[in-house]
Amino acid sequence: MNFFEKYKPYYKKNLKLALPVILSQIGQITVQLADTAMVGNYGGDDPTPLAAVSFATNFFYIIFISALGLAFGLTPLVGEHYAKNHRSYVGELLQNGALLYAGIGVLATGLLIATRSLLPVMGELMIGQGGDGSIGAVVEMALPYYNTLIWSMLPIMLWATAKQFLEGVGNTRIAMYTIIASNLLNIFLNWVFIFGNLGFKPMGAVGAGYATLISRVVQCAMLVGYFLYTPSFRCYTRDLFRRRMISLKTIGELLRVGVPISFHMLMESSAFVVAGIMVLAFGAASVSAYQIGVNMMNVTFMIVIAIGSATTILTSHIYGRQSFERLRPTVNAAYQMGLMWNITVALIFIALRFVIPTLFTTNADVIRITASMLIFIALFQVSDCLQAISISILRGLQDVKVIIPIVFVSYVVINIPAGYLMAFRFGLEANGLIIGFIVGLSSCALMTMARVQRNIKQLESKIGN
């Protein structure tokens, strides 16, 4: 049997689950690119609006992604017990998860409001590090945009609860439809609010914020509404929020799995956010280039996340049914699919490095800096793929505690200091920050892959016992 024929069934199983998630991620990527391109084109040769969106998004993202990561703990637990046909406990997980994640959404909203005053402080800090006078204008424009994003936290957490539950039972299509619909709405509202169409005044960067807020509320309403009114899901919502269904023990289980996942996402996003703050020291053009670069990173990463989400579902079902003979080929197929995608995109980044920035801006400095940055972004694609899929596998197997020390060392101890040294001490500026990611992601990939292989060997030893 040749290589492709051996793994073909595993590619099919992964893609069946991953394809709707991939389409969802493409929708999200399209909106991110559209936001960046539309705000960038609104600014024209002035990089300030695009830099403002980048700065506000980076600051918002660190709390946003940490809260969202907690909801990711629902999928592997639902997947395990769904595979064991424990329908009553699956419903209990859903209801306790909804209560927990709604509370986290409210808490995250409060934290975002409380930390709003730090945006001007960060801007002044970077001006002190050598940033030019344009940074003050960037921060001033970023604040109204940031204020609109704050109120999207609760609807996103409610949407995430339904989405992660559906993924746990193997349904990835419904969330795809809501994401695509809301993203189309977002692009339309960008056209209306940013540029001032259909009788509205041009709002610029803050218009993109209003478009994002409205589309997220609509996205939440569609998915939660579908979930509550679909007969096949009523067995899970029959005793919605009855006191006997609320269990501190179940909430503890959700946090046991969710906290390490959230910590990983916090550490990884913190590295990007810290780099996004440090790049302020090199001026608005570098900030805009970094925002374009981050969007292009997401083009690659979101597809890998989709493959990883499918792998989490498959491995959680394997774990629940204890069919460990299928684990190694399932894992290998996921790695192979992710690598094929990332390597292809890396080559495209390098080949089109002077073309890609022109989709977002006409500023010559931004184009030049972005083109150089894309070479370094291409270099860490393999490491980024391997660490993302490895962590997805560990989630499915519920081996999540080990993620905390691995990501702390990779991103805090290695990534951020390496980026700072390369950018400021060795004079590589924005490119130096990207080199920090090359080092950090490679470290994370090596450690998580080693842990995955250890788990596979241990579980395979149980076959036939």
Side-chain angles (χ1 to χ4, degrees):
M1 182 182 293
N2 62 41
F3 184 86
F4 179 76
E5 288 298 322
K6 176 182 177 181
Y7 285 103
K8 185 177 178 181
Y10 299 96
Y11 295 149
K12 284 184 175 181
K13 286 182 180 179
N14 193 300
L15 284 174
K16 184 178 179 181
L17 292 169
L19 188 57
V21 183
I22 288 171
L23 292 174
S24 301
Q25 299 295 356
I26 288 173
Q28 289 184 320
I29 290 164
T30 301
V31 167
Q32 290 170 357
L33 295 176
D35 280 354
T36 304
M38 294 170 88
V39 172
N41 280 285
Y42 173 82
D45 286 335
D46 180 9
T48 305
L50 182 55
V53 169
S54 172
F55 180 47
T57 300
N58 282 326
F59 204 82
F60 170 83
Y61 194 70
I62 194 165
I63 293 175
F64 169 82
I65 202 66
S66 301
L68 197 61
L70 289 167
F72 279 42
L74 184 60
T75 300
L77 286 169
V78 168
E80 177 195 354
H81 291 282
Y82 179 80
K84 292 178 177 178
N85 203 30
H86 296 165
R87 295 294 186 266
S88 176
Y89 189 63
V90 169
E92 188 175 321
L93 285 167
L94 168 65
Q95 297 193 42
N96 284 274
L99 184 66
L100 173 63
Y101 305 138
I104 290 168
V106 172
L107 178 61
T109 301
L111 285 173
L112 288 165
I113 293 171
T115 56
R116 179 186 178 277
S117 60
L118 293 177
L119 270 74
V121 175
M122 291 297 178
E124 291 173 7
L125 178 63
M126 288 301 105
I127 291 173
Q129 288 289 324
D132 58 37
S134 65
I135 298 305
V138 169
V139 174
E140 184 178 351
M141 192 177 292
L143 283 169
Y145 176 76
Y146 179 82
N147 288 338
T148 62
L149 296 181
I150 287 172
W151 303 107
S152 68
M153 271 305 317
L154 180 57
I156 277 293
M157 291 304 296
L158 294 174
W159 171 83
T161 303
K163 173 181 176 290
Q164 298 307 132
F165 178 86
L166 288 170
E167 289 188 2
V169 300
N171 186 328
T172 55
R173 290 179 289 106
I174 304 305
M176 172 192 74
Y177 297 136
T178 64
I179 290 173
I180 291 174
S182 65
N183 287 345
L184 291 172
L185 175 64
N186 195 1
I187 292 172
F188 170 73
L189 293 177
N190 275 343
W191 175 75
V192 172
F193 295 148
I194 294 173
F195 298 100
N197 290 298
L198 300 182
F200 286 83
K201 293 181 180 180
M203 299 183 189
V206 71
Y210 285 122
T212 298
L213 172 60
I214 293 170
S215 65
R216 285 178 176 172
V217 171
V218 171
Q219 178 177 284
C220 171
M222 286 191 294
L223 186 59
V224 173
Y226 172 86
F227 192 86
L228 291 176
Y229 290 101
T230 299
S232 59
F233 297 131
R234 284 178 187 162
C235 62
Y236 304 119
T237 60
R238 187 177 296 118
D239 298 315
L240 194 62
F241 301 134
R242 298 282 177 88
R243 284 187 63 182
R244 66 183 181 82
M245 294 293 290
I246 306 305
S247 165
L248 291 178
K249 182 179 178 182
T250 303
I251 290 174
E253 273 293 287
L254 291 166
L255 290 173
R256 177 185 67 81
V257 179
V259 168
I261 295 172
S262 175
F263 187 82
H264 160 240
M265 296 174 75
L266 171 64
M267 290 297 100
E268 187 171 31
S269 64
S270 294
F272 282 96
V273 170
V274 169
I277 293 171
M278 287 194 290
V279 79
L280 286 166
F282 308 119
S286 291
V287 177
S288 295
Y290 181 77
Q291 174 67 3
I292 296 170
V294 167
N295 273 274
M296 299 318 297
M297 294 178 211
N298 287 338
V299 168
T300 304
F301 190 66
M302 289 302 177
I303 305 303
V304 174
I305 286 295
I307 296 170
S309 295
T311 307
T312 297
I313 296 167
L314 291 170
T315 52
S316 69
H317 289 181
I318 289 170
Y319 187 72
R321 297 186 179 110
Q322 297 192 0
S323 50
F324 300 129
E325 70 281 354
R326 293 168 43 209
L327 183 58
R328 187 179 294 275
T330 298
V331 166
N332 289 343
Y335 282 133
Q336 291 157 17
M337 292 166 62
L339 286 172
M340 283 187 286
W341 165 255
N342 275 49
I343 291 170
T344 300
V345 175
L347 295 174
I348 293 172
F349 284 175
I350 293 171
L352 301 180
R353 63 187 182 278
F354 288 103
V355 176
I356 291 170
T358 63
L359 301 174
F360 303 91
T361 183
T362 58
N363 185 286
D365 285 339
V366 175
I367 292 171
R368 174 183 55 81
I369 296 169
T370 305
S372 176
M373 193 180 293
L374 284 172
I375 296 175
F376 293 98
I377 291 172
L379 292 177
F380 68 59
Q381 293 308 304
V382 170
S383 297
D384 200 19
C385 167
L386 294 174
Q387 65 89 22
I389 291 179
S390 295
I391 288 176
S392 297
I393 295 163
L394 294 176
R395 290 175 186 172
L397 300 176
Q398 298 182 35
D399 182 21
V400 289
K401 287 184 179 180
V402 72
I403 294 174
I404 293 178
I406 289 175
V407 298
F408 181 80
V409 170
S410 299
Y411 296 117
V412 177
V413 178
I414 297 175
N415 190 331
I416 294 174
Y420 178 84
L421 287 172
M422 292 294 175
F424 292 94
R425 295 290 179 253
F426 291 93
L428 295 176
E429 299 190 354
N431 286 336
L433 299 174
I434 304 301
I435 292 172
F437 289 112
I438 296 174
V439 179
L441 289 168
S442 297
S443 302
C444 189
L446 289 171
M447 287 187 279
T448 52
M449 286 180 69
R451 184 70 176 193
V452 167
Q453 293 306 311
R454 173 184 174 275
N455 276 326
I456 291 173
K457 289 179 181 178
Q458 286 185 344
L459 295 173
E460 284 178 338
S461 68
K462 297 180 180 180
I463 298 173
N465 291 343

